[in-house]
Amino acid sequence: MNLNNLENLKQELKALGFSDKLQVLMEEQMRNDIPQFHLNDSIAADKGQVDFTLHFKQSGQSDYYYLNRYEVAHNKGKALEEGQKYMVIVAGAEGKNTVKRIENLNEAIDHFRMQKGGAELSVGKDPGHRNVIANIENGTVNFINNEYRSTYYTKPVTQNIWVDKGRGFTARQSANLIQGRSVYRDDLVKYTTGEPYKAWVKLDLEKGKDEKGNFQLQQFMDPQYGYDLKHVLNEYRIKELDGPAQREKLEAELKNGNRALITTVKDGKEVQLQLEAVPRYGNLNFFTMEGKIERRDQFEKVQPRENIFEKKVGQSKDKELSTGQELSR
């Protein structure tokens, strides 16, 4: 195992924002000289959980490993709690069962479906403390937990994310993208010309996937598209805008694609809401802590008025945005 290669990959995982535990698991696979392997990670979503599958491959000409791609998947079912894993428990002879622990729900379901005899798909910290998701007897599924029924039968929304030496969309950014939100990047480069540029980026989840199995990326160029986050924020009564440090933190969260926690006033009372940047329509979306959307005009500093930007984009949105064909890592 090349130690320089190991350290470089550890730095790449850190730069992309994946869990520290992956560094230990990656080193184990590299020490065993496994030509190809994948690791799993996850982040809680607004609804359910976002799962990551990181693909590592060894060079055919050396002992170097590369991380060029990871898959992000949004599972809308119940998220894993701290310390939990999915378990596929397969019945063996004389009551000796085998247990396979899996962090990725899709992998767990696929492995469970492959079983021909008796098997159980569960979630928990260990076999002694588990909740049953599904059960197989004599090769036939005879039970599925209602809480997981939709997840069991519905494939998650997925996207391949390409990275280059730790540069590209981070884990948090791709988790936000797969949930339909926009992310701001100031380090993009056009493939054709090498020209650097800045843009808000969003997955076009409304259209089907391309021939490579991915959603297209919509780009809202900065400053050409005209979405000025600072200016838009100033139109609303948001307590976090009062201090420079709080404002900077809020803008960074919104640019990262997060739903940021804010404080405002509703019906004369101070309330906490979640805020999301919507560059496509030149505005912001406000949500309750439970995820219910709020009317934005009730939080404006001035009386509600026609949003000229939104009207313009609504009339010619296809012309105004780029499909992202030249997006570089």
Side-chain angles (χ1 to χ4, degrees):
M1 180 181 66
N2 188 297
L3 295 180
N4 286 332
N5 181 213
L6 174 63
E7 289 304 311
N8 289 340
L9 285 173
K10 285 183 177 180
Q11 289 302 314
E12 290 179 23
L13 290 178
K14 185 176 181 179
L16 292 170
F18 289 108
S19 303
D20 291 342
K21 66 180 181 180
L22 295 193
Q23 297 184 23
V24 177
L25 298 173
M26 177 185 69
E27 183 172 349
E28 291 177 358
Q29 298 296 313
M30 292 174 66
R31 287 191 182 280
N32 290 328
D33 202 32
I34 308 298
Q36 294 186 53
F37 62 91
H38 70 267
L39 301 176
N40 299 121
D41 204 356
S42 63
I43 290 178
D46 297 332
K47 293 182 179 180
Q49 178 172 296
V50 174
D51 293 318
F52 306 98
T53 304
L54 289 70
H55 298 271
F56 295 83
K57 187 175 182 179
Q58 192 176 44
S59 170
Q61 286 74 43
S62 69
D63 58 353
Y64 265 63
Y65 284 87
Y66 298 92
L67 170 62
N68 295 328
R69 175 177 69 91
Y70 67 89
E71 184 184 67
V72 56
H74 184 197
N75 285 294
K76 297 183 180 181
K78 187 177 180 180
L80 281 175
E81 297 177 7
E82 185 68 27
Q84 288 188 337
K85 285 183 172 59
Y86 299 106
M87 294 173 284
V88 178
I89 303 173
V90 179
E94 300 178 358
K96 295 181 179 180
N97 299 335
T98 60
V99 181
K100 184 176 179 64
R101 294 171 174 81
I102 304 172
E103 292 189 19
N104 185 291
L105 178 56
N106 295 326
E107 289 188 20
I109 291 175
D110 289 343
H111 185 70
F112 172 74
R113 286 173 170 165
M114 292 170 57
Q115 307 310 312
K116 304 299 182 183
E120 178 187 293
L121 174 61
S122 300
V123 60
K125 294 185 177 181
D126 56 65
H129 303 84
R130 71 186 193 276
N131 291 319
V132 179
I133 295 175
N135 192 66
I136 290 176
E137 284 189 9
N138 299 319
T140 302
V141 176
N142 65 354
F143 170 77
I144 298 176
N145 190 317
N146 286 334
E147 200 170 17
Y148 291 89
R149 181 173 293 275
S150 176
T151 306
Y152 185 87
Y153 287 112
T154 305
K155 285 291 185 181
V157 181
T158 64
Q159 179 80 1
N160 283 305
I161 305 294
W162 295 91
V163 293
D164 180 22
K165 298 179 181 178
R167 296 189 298 271
F169 290 106
T170 65
R172 175 60 65 182
Q173 288 173 340
S174 61
N176 287 327
L177 287 172
I178 204 67
Q179 293 177 81
R181 294 196 282 274
S182 301
V183 170
Y184 183 80
R185 292 279 300 274
D186 60 4
D187 59 348
L188 299 172
V189 179
K190 291 186 177 181
Y191 281 125
T192 53
T193 64
E195 177 187 358
Y197 68 100
K198 305 174 184 178
W200 288 86
V201 183
K202 184 180 184 297
L203 290 180
D204 189 353
L205 300 176
E206 297 175 4
K207 294 183 179 180
K209 292 187 174 184
D210 60 21
E211 66 277 3
K212 295 182 180 179
N214 291 310
F215 295 102
Q216 283 194 331
L217 291 167
Q218 296 178 326
Q219 297 179 70
F220 310 95
M221 311 289 280
D222 180 27
Q224 294 91 330
Y225 193 72
Y227 184 66
D228 186 337
L229 181 61
K230 290 182 182 293
H231 175 75
V232 174
L233 284 169
N234 287 337
E235 295 181 355
Y236 297 91
R237 299 188 305 274
I238 298 173
K239 188 175 181 179
E240 284 71 16
L241 300 179
D242 295 342
Q246 285 183 301
R247 171 185 276 271
E248 184 178 354
K249 179 182 178 183
L250 174 59
E251 290 180 5
E253 284 199 56
L254 293 173
K255 286 183 175 181
N256 214 35
N258 296 341
R259 277 191 181 174
L261 184 65
I262 63 156
T263 308
T264 186
V265 175
K266 179 182 179 182
D267 299 328
K269 297 181 181 179
E270 191 172 275
V271 295
Q272 285 193 318
L273 299 175
Q274 297 178 89
L275 188 67
E276 175 184 319
V278 190
R280 180 174 183 178
Y281 297 113
N283 224 313
L284 304 166
N285 278 342
F286 293 78
F287 298 87
T288 65
M289 300 304 292
E290 293 74 33
K292 180 182 177 181
I293 195 163
E294 292 269 18
R295 283 188 6 256
R296 68 173 69 89
D297 58 12
Q298 62 189 317
F299 308 115
E300 289 184 355
K301 290 181 178 178
V302 296
Q303 290 298 316
R305 53 180 171 68
E306 182 181 32
N307 188 327
I308 298 175
F309 184 100
E310 187 169 327
K311 181 178 179 181
K312 172 187 174 183
V313 175
Q315 291 174 343
S316 57
K317 61 183 179 181
D318 293 333
K319 181 179 179 180
E320 291 287 338
L321 59 86
S322 166
T323 59
Q325 295 300 313
E326 293 188 325
L327 182 67
S328 175
R329 290 186 285 271

